[in-house]
Amino acid sequence: MKHLIDPSDLTKRELDDIISLAERIIADRRAWSNALKGRKLATLFYEPSTRTRLSFTAAMMELGGNVLGFSDAANSSVSKGESVEDTVRVVGCFADIIAMRHNLEGAPFVASCFSDVPIINAGDGSHSHPTQTLTDLLTITREIGHIDGITIGFCGDLRFGRTVHSLIKALTKYSGIRIVLIAPDELRLPDYIKHDVLDKEGMDYREVHTIEEVISELDVLYMTRVQRERFLDEDEFDRVKDSFVLDLAKLSGAKPDMAILHPLPRVNEILPEVDADPRAAYFRQVEYGKFVRMALICCLLQWKDDPDHGMPPLEGVFADATLRCTNPKCICNHEHVDPLFRKTPEGVVRCQYCDSKIR
Ligand code: CP
């Protein structure tokens, strides 16, 4: 069965199919208003959300389906200690497909191991956010006209920014991409993304410290929020929280058709004065998120029993009860799950749930 836990779960062909279905839905929304009549989506949100949860809800409603679930796990039996494994087994009795957001990294992967219905990762800790990636790819396609060949600058919190990690993974499937990483030293992209994704795929990338030195090169500027909730040390957060602020003065050096994306919410990394600039695409991006989630739900339900659309094989994965993941936000340190690890071709051992380096 096809789940969407990580962008790498989708082949390039499947990515293209989802994006092109989203385009067809945008072109004729009424034609899809009964497409999923009688089907049910469960939204299980263990962590706050505005866009992702409501866009999944709106997407299913626009397809003629129904939605159930919780927006606060404290109001569910999770508060009594129910595990992710048991929760998805139960919810699978009520719903045809499940979208899960979790503060613990790897929780949607655990869910996918025990679910009888497709699981969609709606964001797990700092790890991955593949439906935001689909949103971003559709936005770039509609704003720029193509994805191949773009130069994209990622700015802000590249260390904890799951939307950045996921979009970078997906961009490896396109050709001629140039990536510029704009971050202070404390918020640089994790080594596992640099080595296991960018270096492994031979991507063209470089790291800089200011927006000004690269803005004239960019087709897409991807801004991100420095996320207070990801820091274990409040002083470290205070040191970096206002690292980058995009204003009209900085934009004066940008291409006239550059697109500014942001997964939102923003705090103060884009001043409101930028909102009226035609290059500010971040509110259009929100609506594209609904259309692409409509397309994704349709595809996953259609692919459920199709042997041509399985999950990629778990290469190099092994169980080892003597190893421990050191990431305090990994699901394996909170619930009784088998310790699973993955050995990369370079010999590095990583946690299968959260990708943290073990040795
Ligand atoms: N972009 C995004 O994930 O927003 P929410 O946290 O509001 O869902």
Side-chain angles (χ1 to χ4, degrees):
M1 181 165 47
K2 193 75 172 177
H3 306 281
L4 179 58
I5 307 304
D6 185 90
S8 51
D9 294 333
L10 297 173
T11 64
K12 178 65 166 45
R13 174 83 190 270
E14 289 167 342
L15 258 183
D16 290 344
D17 286 349
I18 294 167
I19 301 290
S20 79
L21 178 55
E23 296 273 19
R24 280 163 47 211
I25 291 171
I26 292 169
D28 188 1
R29 293 166 62 165
R30 283 179 178 219
W32 298 87
S33 60
N34 275 318
L36 294 184
K37 193 169 165 54
R39 311 299 290 274
K40 290 185 284 272
L41 164 76
T43 54
L44 309 184
F45 276 58
Y46 296 67
E47 191 185 58
S49 165
T50 296
R51 275 145 296 275
T52 310
R53 189 176 67 82
L54 295 181
S55 67
F56 266 117
T57 303
M60 197 60 177
M61 290 165 76
E62 289 208 21
L63 291 164
N66 291 302
V67 184
L68 65 162
F70 54 76
S71 57
D72 180 355
N75 294 330
S76 76
S77 286
V78 173
S79 64
K80 303 172 201 162
E82 189 158 58
S83 65
V84 165
E85 173 183 337
D86 285 358
T87 300
V88 294
R89 282 183 162 137
V90 169
V91 175
C93 300
F94 308 138
D96 301 290
I97 186 164
I98 295 172
M100 173 183 284
R101 168 168 292 192
H102 211 294
N103 50 310
L104 295 176
E105 299 172 21
F109 173 70
V110 171
S112 71
C113 296
F114 297 98
S115 178
D116 291 331
V117 301
I119 298 289
I120 301 170
N121 179 1
D124 62 328
S126 305
H127 185 224
S128 195
H129 195 348
T131 66
Q132 181 65 46
T133 298
L134 294 173
T135 302
D136 300 338
L137 294 174
L138 178 63
T139 305
I140 295 169
T141 305
R142 290 188 68 83
E143 297 287 323
I144 306 291
H146 56 91
I147 299 173
D148 289 327
I150 61 163
T151 298
I152 179 168
F154 289 96
C155 181
D157 179 3
L158 313 190
R159 176 175 162 201
F160 297 115
R162 60 191 175 195
T163 63
V164 172
H165 305 166
S166 289
L167 182 53
I168 285 176
K169 284 185 188 171
L171 288 173
T172 63
K173 297 186 195 305
Y174 295 84
S175 59
I177 304 290
R178 291 175 64 227
I179 292 175
V180 187
L181 304 168
I182 311 161
D185 287 339
E186 296 91 334
L187 296 178
R188 287 167 67 165
L189 194 70
D191 282 347
Y192 87 88
I193 306 273
K194 271 192 249 173
H195 299 149
D196 292 5
V197 180
L198 291 172
D199 292 337
K200 184 174 160 212
E201 301 293 339
M203 300 290 286
D204 178 341
Y205 74 97
R206 72 186 205 273
E207 297 183 281
V208 301
H209 285 108
T210 65
I211 298 177
E212 291 90 327
E213 66 193 283
V214 291
I215 196 159
S216 63
E217 301 172 32
L218 304 179
D219 301 302
V220 176
L221 174 59
Y222 195 99
M223 296 294 296
T224 61
R225 173 175 66 98
V226 179
Q227 305 168 88
R228 179 189 289 271
E229 65 273 25
R230 305 289 177 222
F231 283 77
L232 297 175
D233 177 350
E234 189 78 12
D235 291 341
E236 191 184 8
F237 169 75
D238 284 337
R239 275 197 302 278
V240 295
K241 66 180 185 205
D242 293 321
S243 294
F244 298 102
V245 178
L246 184 65
D247 55 18
L248 286 176
K250 289 197 183 81
L251 263 187
S252 64
K255 291 180 184 176
D257 55 355
M258 186 187 78
I260 307 164
L261 274 62
H262 191 312
L264 303 179
R266 71 169 151 185
V267 185
N268 45 12
E269 59 279 1
I270 302 179
L271 292 190
E273 67 182 22
V274 176
D275 296 355
D277 189 291
R279 291 168 286 195
Y282 31 90
F283 289 115
R284 296 190 289 277
Q285 186 180 358
V286 173
E287 194 174 20
Y288 296 142
K290 178 188 68 180
F291 293 120
V292 92
R293 289 181 175 101
M294 290 171 76
L296 174 68
I297 295 166
C298 288
C299 287
L300 289 181
L301 289 175
Q302 190 188 328
W303 294 342
K304 184 169 181 253
D305 300 314
D306 184 343
D308 289 340
H309 292 283
M311 293 296 277
L314 294 178
E315 281 168 9
V317 174
F318 61 96
D320 187 335
T322 67
L323 291 178
R324 272 192 71 83
C325 174
T326 52
N327 175 4
K329 295 189 173 178
C330 180
I331 184 88
C332 73
N333 288 317
H334 295 263
E335 296 203 359
H336 294 288
V337 297
D338 288 336
L340 284 180
F341 303 93
R342 182 178 75 251
K343 194 165 192 175
T344 69
E346 297 76 29
V348 175
V349 174
R350 296 199 178 281
C351 173
Q352 175 61 18
Y353 299 99
C354 70
D355 285 314
S356 292
K357 187 174 178 178
I358 308 300
R359 67 173 184 228

